[in-house]
Amino acid sequence: MFRALPEPIHELGRLFEEAGQELALVGGPVRDAVLGRSSADLDFTTSARPDATEAILRRWTGGGAIWDMGREFGTLGGSRDGLKVEITTYRTESYDPASRKPQVAFGDTLEGDLSRRDFTVNAMAVRLPSLELVDPFDGLADLAGALLRTPVAPAQSFDDDPLRMMRAVRFVSQLGFSIEPATAAAIAALADRIAIVSAERVHDELVKLMVGAHPRRALELMVDLGLAAQVLPELPALQLELDEHHRHKDVYQHSLTVLDQAIDLESPAGSGGPCEAPDLVLRLAALLHDIGKPATRRFEDGGVVTFRFHETVGARMAAKRLKALAFDKETIKAVSRLVELHLRFHGYADAEWTDSAVRRYVTDAGPLLQQLHRLTRADVTTRNRRKASGLARAYDELEARIDELAAKEEIGRIRPDLDGNRIMALLDLPPGRAVGEAYAFLLEERMEHGPLGEEEAERRLRQWWADRSEE
């Protein structure tokens, strides 16, 4: 399988050998090749110190691009024929307990370098140009067993670099692996160490987890091992104690099921369809849509359990948590808006909406309409087939009405029939508050009655202004 590496990579190995240095492909690319997966990364480790690596890279690239921003850590990169490589000198590391940043020292052996890797499945290497597989920690066996295990004692590994605990659950999502019991126990014991890791690094791992193939399994592990309590405490908080009569559903399991069902409603990757997999915003909204329930739970007379306004409370909580996790403003805005809107449809299921209500639904959703469609459908987890079928039919009808209105008018971007300049000209007004109020009046008329046309819009505007002036 490694003979299929591009010829320039074999040549790179020969250049290092001629210089009396060792070179090995290492980590994820080796793991992925064994699994039959392609990898865009080509990471190498070498016995050569940075100056020697640079000299060999210059020969290999033939004057092409070389970058050395990681030189102090022993890492240099280069490109040739569209191939990008990064080469790092063998390293040994020690850690300050108050920081996950290592104190880097160059090492002397490939085996020593591999021992500092996060998991045995990433602690394999292929020597170049000989293509000898080096596997000192039985990574192949762990790959075959789909098992995550650390090369050294797990407590030492996670204490040295707590981010590895997030990487463990991320690989569960991406690769479908399980975590070896002693490794899982060490995560549970050291979960609070994740607090020393920057929000940006945790964010990166969480995103990779959420867009992986098995996010539910990974999230359940995060909760079970105590990582979620540190990183995403709103998730374990959903494990509300059920009342003895089970008058409300298990919010935690419901949320995970909604996530699964939302993923099932994504368009296939590469299809160009709406909500193309993996849709991070949809998945986050599905996971977080009910996080306002613990804060709003009330026990009413007769044992009835209510969660009034949990959607608005949840929207604020989602925004706060995503901001703390260093998500970008657009993602925060989109996810919190979907959380806020996720119950809106239930008014339609109870009583058919007017065209005006349908317009407002579409306008409020804006560019998130397709994600709202899928979140609303995914939020049905009842075991009552009759109820589930009724809700599905009602939403089918709502989508049909949206399509019908869209065919008649620009329902996706509703604007008043007159713009601000026309309003000022008709009413002889300068820019100011009165123009905004007139615009809001016309927008309300457009929502309520659909397109009016300029003549009718002008008539209604003049009448509104005359009535307003008499007040």
Side-chain angles (χ1 to χ4, degrees), residues 99-117:
S99 171
R100 66 169 295 270
K101 294 181 179 179
Q103 303 296 319
V104 177
F106 295 143
D108 298 314
T109 66
L110 175 58
E111 289 75 8
D113 183 87
L114 295 176
S115 70
R116 69 178 185 81
R117 305 280 166 166

PDB file of all heavy atoms in Angstrom, residues 99-117:
ATOM      1  N   SER A  99       0.435  24.027  31.986  1.00  0.00           N
ATOM      2  CA  SER A  99       0.289  24.370  30.570  1.00  0.00           C
ATOM      3  C   SER A  99       0.402  23.116  29.728  1.00  0.00           C
ATOM      4  O   SER A  99       1.088  22.164  30.091  1.00  0.00           O
ATOM      5  CB  SER A  99       1.373  25.363  30.150  1.00  0.00           C
ATOM      6  OG  SER A  99       1.382  25.544  28.744  1.00  0.00           O
ATOM      7  N   ARG A 100      -0.316  23.106  28.578  1.00  0.00           N
ATOM      8  CA  ARG A 100      -0.187  21.967  27.678  1.00  0.00           C
ATOM      9  C   ARG A 100       0.906  22.196  26.639  1.00  0.00           C
ATOM     10  O   ARG A 100       1.158  21.339  25.800  1.00  0.00           O
ATOM     11  CB  ARG A 100      -1.508  21.672  26.970  1.00  0.00           C
ATOM     12  CG  ARG A 100      -1.981  22.751  26.008  1.00  0.00           C
ATOM     13  CD  ARG A 100      -3.131  22.261  25.153  1.00  0.00           C
ATOM     14  NE  ARG A 100      -2.707  21.192  24.280  1.00  0.00           N
ATOM     15  CZ  ARG A 100      -2.215  21.382  23.043  1.00  0.00           C
ATOM     16  NH1 ARG A 100      -2.072  22.599  22.569  1.00  0.00           N
ATOM     17  NH2 ARG A 100      -1.873  20.353  22.306  1.00  0.00           N
ATOM     18  N   LYS A 101       1.601  23.359  26.693  1.00  0.00           N
ATOM     19  CA  LYS A 101       2.647  23.635  25.727  1.00  0.00           C
ATOM     20  C   LYS A 101       3.915  22.897  26.134  1.00  0.00           C
ATOM     21  O   LYS A 101       4.408  23.068  27.251  1.00  0.00           O
ATOM     22  CB  LYS A 101       2.912  25.138  25.642  1.00  0.00           C
ATOM     23  CG  LYS A 101       1.732  25.917  25.075  1.00  0.00           C
ATOM     24  CD  LYS A 101       2.031  27.396  24.982  1.00  0.00           C
ATOM     25  CE  LYS A 101       0.848  28.151  24.397  1.00  0.00           C
ATOM     26  NZ  LYS A 101       1.113  29.612  24.316  1.00  0.00           N
ATOM     27  N   PRO A 102       4.462  22.073  25.251  1.00  0.00           N
ATOM     28  CA  PRO A 102       5.635  21.284  25.624  1.00  0.00           C
ATOM     29  C   PRO A 102       6.925  22.087  25.571  1.00  0.00           C
ATOM     30  O   PRO A 102       7.043  23.067  24.841  1.00  0.00           O
ATOM     31  CB  PRO A 102       5.659  20.194  24.555  1.00  0.00           C
ATOM     32  CG  PRO A 102       5.045  20.853  23.347  1.00  0.00           C
ATOM     33  CD  PRO A 102       3.988  21.786  23.884  1.00  0.00           C
ATOM     34  N   GLN A 103       7.870  21.649  26.374  1.00  0.00           N
ATOM     35  CA  GLN A 103       9.249  22.113  26.248  1.00  0.00           C
ATOM     36  C   GLN A 103       9.937  21.137  25.304  1.00  0.00           C
ATOM     37  O   GLN A 103      10.098  19.964  25.630  1.00  0.00           O
ATOM     38  CB  GLN A 103       9.934  22.122  27.620  1.00  0.00           C
ATOM     39  CG  GLN A 103       9.217  22.978  28.664  1.00  0.00           C
ATOM     40  CD  GLN A 103       9.197  24.447  28.295  1.00  0.00           C
ATOM     41  OE1 GLN A 103      10.195  24.986  27.809  1.00  0.00           O
ATOM     42  NE2 GLN A 103       8.059  25.085  28.520  1.00  0.00           N
ATOM     43  N   VAL A 104      10.298  21.604  24.126  1.00  0.00           N
ATOM     44  CA  VAL A 104      10.747  20.705  23.071  1.00  0.00           C
ATOM     45  C   VAL A 104      12.258  20.491  23.146  1.00  0.00           C
ATOM     46  O   VAL A 104      13.030  21.433  23.276  1.00  0.00           O
ATOM     47  CB  VAL A 104      10.373  21.262  21.683  1.00  0.00           C
ATOM     48  CG1 VAL A 104      10.917  20.358  20.586  1.00  0.00           C
ATOM     49  CG2 VAL A 104       8.857  21.385  21.562  1.00  0.00           C
ATOM     50  N   ALA A 105      12.644  19.223  23.066  1.00  0.00           N
ATOM     51  CA  ALA A 105      14.061  18.861  22.922  1.00  0.00           C
ATOM     52  C   ALA A 105      14.143  17.839  21.798  1.00  0.00           C
ATOM     53  O   ALA A 105      13.255  16.996  21.655  1.00  0.00           O
ATOM     54  CB  ALA A 105      14.599  18.276  24.216  1.00  0.00           C
ATOM     55  N   PHE A 106      15.171  17.930  20.980  1.00  0.00           N
ATOM     56  CA  PHE A 106      15.298  16.991  19.872  1.00  0.00           C
ATOM     57  C   PHE A 106      15.722  15.624  20.393  1.00  0.00           C
ATOM     58  O   PHE A 106      16.532  15.503  21.320  1.00  0.00           O
ATOM     59  CB  PHE A 106      16.322  17.512  18.858  1.00  0.00           C
ATOM     60  CG  PHE A 106      15.887  18.796  18.196  1.00  0.00           C
ATOM     61  CD1 PHE A 106      16.808  19.777  17.894  1.00  0.00           C
ATOM     62  CD2 PHE A 106      14.554  19.013  17.873  1.00  0.00           C
ATOM     63  CE1 PHE A 106      16.426  20.960  17.280  1.00  0.00           C
ATOM     64  CE2 PHE A 106      14.147  20.194  17.260  1.00  0.00           C
ATOM     65  CZ  PHE A 106      15.088  21.168  16.970  1.00  0.00           C
ATOM     66  N   GLY A 107      15.145  14.578  19.788  1.00  0.00           N
ATOM     67  CA  GLY A 107      15.456  13.210  20.171  1.00  0.00           C
ATOM     68  C   GLY A 107      16.402  12.554  19.181  1.00  0.00           C
ATOM     69  O   GLY A 107      16.823  13.160  18.191  1.00  0.00           O
ATOM     70  N   ASP A 108      16.702  11.277  19.453  1.00  0.00           N
ATOM     71  CA  ASP A 108      17.684  10.568  18.640  1.00  0.00           C
ATOM     72  C   ASP A 108      17.133   9.349  17.920  1.00  0.00           C
ATOM     73  O   ASP A 108      17.792   8.816  17.036  1.00  0.00           O
ATOM     74  CB  ASP A 108      18.859  10.127  19.525  1.00  0.00           C
ATOM     75  CG  ASP A 108      19.583  11.308  20.153  1.00  0.00           C
ATOM     76  OD1 ASP A 108      19.866  12.280  19.425  1.00  0.00           O
ATOM     77  OD2 ASP A 108      19.842  11.261  21.372  1.00  0.00           O
ATOM     78  N   THR A 109      15.933   8.886  18.296  1.00  0.00           N
ATOM     79  CA  THR A 109      15.420   7.657  17.689  1.00  0.00           C
ATOM     80  C   THR A 109      13.978   7.819  17.244  1.00  0.00           C
ATOM     81  O   THR A 109      13.199   8.587  17.833  1.00  0.00           O
ATOM     82  CB  THR A 109      15.476   6.483  18.690  1.00  0.00           C
ATOM     83  OG1 THR A 109      14.575   6.728  19.767  1.00  0.00           O
ATOM     84  CG2 THR A 109      16.898   6.302  19.234  1.00  0.00           C
ATOM     85  N   LEU A 110      13.628   7.064  16.217  1.00  0.00           N
ATOM     86  CA  LEU A 110      12.254   7.063  15.734  1.00  0.00           C
ATOM     87  C   LEU A 110      11.320   6.498  16.798  1.00  0.00           C
ATOM     88  O   LEU A 110      10.235   7.034  17.038  1.00  0.00           O
ATOM     89  CB  LEU A 110      12.160   6.235  14.449  1.00  0.00           C
ATOM     90  CG  LEU A 110      10.755   6.037  13.866  1.00  0.00           C
ATOM     91  CD1 LEU A 110      10.089   7.382  13.567  1.00  0.00           C
ATOM     92  CD2 LEU A 110      10.828   5.184  12.596  1.00  0.00           C
ATOM     93  N   GLU A 111      11.730   5.425  17.462  1.00  0.00           N
ATOM     94  CA  GLU A 111      10.879   4.808  18.480  1.00  0.00           C
ATOM     95  C   GLU A 111      10.595   5.785  19.614  1.00  0.00           C
ATOM     96  O   GLU A 111       9.475   5.851  20.141  1.00  0.00           O
ATOM     97  CB  GLU A 111      11.526   3.534  19.017  1.00  0.00           C
ATOM     98  CG  GLU A 111      11.536   2.369  18.042  1.00  0.00           C
ATOM     99  CD  GLU A 111      12.580   2.513  16.936  1.00  0.00           C
ATOM    100  OE1 GLU A 111      13.408   3.458  17.011  1.00  0.00           O
ATOM    101  OE2 GLU A 111      12.563   1.698  15.992  1.00  0.00           O
ATOM    102  N   GLY A 112      11.611   6.555  20.008  1.00  0.00           N
ATOM    103  CA  GLY A 112      11.400   7.550  21.054  1.00  0.00           C
ATOM    104  C   GLY A 112      10.425   8.630  20.623  1.00  0.00           C
ATOM    105  O   GLY A 112       9.588   9.076  21.410  1.00  0.00           O
ATOM    106  N   ASP A 113      10.521   9.039  19.366  1.00  0.00           N
ATOM    107  CA  ASP A 113       9.601  10.032  18.835  1.00  0.00           C
ATOM    108  C   ASP A 113       8.173   9.491  18.835  1.00  0.00           C
ATOM    109  O   ASP A 113       7.221  10.198  19.194  1.00  0.00           O
ATOM    110  CB  ASP A 113      10.019  10.429  17.415  1.00  0.00           C
ATOM    111  CG  ASP A 113       9.151  11.515  16.829  1.00  0.00           C
ATOM    112  OD1 ASP A 113       9.444  12.695  17.046  1.00  0.00           O
ATOM    113  OD2 ASP A 113       8.150  11.171  16.156  1.00  0.00           O
ATOM    114  N   LEU A 114       7.998   8.242  18.432  1.00  0.00           N
ATOM    115  CA  LEU A 114       6.661   7.648  18.370  1.00  0.00           C
ATOM    116  C   LEU A 114       6.035   7.509  19.754  1.00  0.00           C
ATOM    117  O   LEU A 114       4.810   7.565  19.900  1.00  0.00           O
ATOM    118  CB  LEU A 114       6.723   6.281  17.683  1.00  0.00           C
ATOM    119  CG  LEU A 114       7.123   6.298  16.204  1.00  0.00           C
ATOM    120  CD1 LEU A 114       7.237   4.876  15.671  1.00  0.00           C
ATOM    121  CD2 LEU A 114       6.126   7.101  15.370  1.00  0.00           C
ATOM    122  N   SER A 115       6.870   7.351  20.781  1.00  0.00           N
ATOM    123  CA  SER A 115       6.341   7.151  22.133  1.00  0.00           C
ATOM    124  C   SER A 115       5.612   8.378  22.657  1.00  0.00           C
ATOM    125  O   SER A 115       4.804   8.281  23.579  1.00  0.00           O
ATOM    126  CB  SER A 115       7.463   6.781  23.103  1.00  0.00           C
ATOM    127  OG  SER A 115       8.315   7.895  23.342  1.00  0.00           O
ATOM    128  N   ARG A 116       5.861   9.550  22.074  1.00  0.00           N
ATOM    129  CA  ARG A 116       5.216  10.762  22.561  1.00  0.00           C
ATOM    130  C   ARG A 116       3.911  11.048  21.813  1.00  0.00           C
ATOM    131  O   ARG A 116       3.251  12.055  22.082  1.00  0.00           O
ATOM    132  CB  ARG A 116       6.158  11.958  22.422  1.00  0.00           C
ATOM    133  CG  ARG A 116       6.393  12.355  20.989  1.00  0.00           C
ATOM    134  CD  ARG A 116       7.295  13.568  20.833  1.00  0.00           C
ATOM    135  NE  ARG A 116       7.382  13.961  19.433  1.00  0.00           N
ATOM    136  CZ  ARG A 116       6.469  14.687  18.796  1.00  0.00           C
ATOM    137  NH1 ARG A 116       5.410  15.107  19.438  1.00  0.00           N
ATOM    138  NH2 ARG A 116       6.617  14.978  17.524  1.00  0.00           N
ATOM    139  N   ARG A 117       3.532  10.169  20.884  1.00  0.00           N
ATOM    140  CA  ARG A 117       2.304  10.373  20.121  1.00  0.00           C
ATOM    141  C   ARG A 117       1.080  10.115  20.994  1.00  0.00           C
ATOM    142  O   ARG A 117       1.159   9.483  22.042  1.00  0.00           O
ATOM    143  CB  ARG A 117       2.285   9.453  18.902  1.00  0.00           C
ATOM    144  CG  ARG A 117       3.517   9.593  17.993  1.00  0.00           C
ATOM    145  CD  ARG A 117       3.396  10.784  17.081  1.00  0.00           C
ATOM    146  NE  ARG A 117       4.677  11.139  16.452  1.00  0.00           N
ATOM    147  CZ  ARG A 117       4.804  11.957  15.423  1.00  0.00           C
ATOM    148  NH1 ARG A 117       3.725  12.492  14.893  1.00  0.00           N
ATOM    149  NH2 ARG A 117       5.994  12.243  14.940  1.00  0.00           N
TER     150      ARG A 117
END
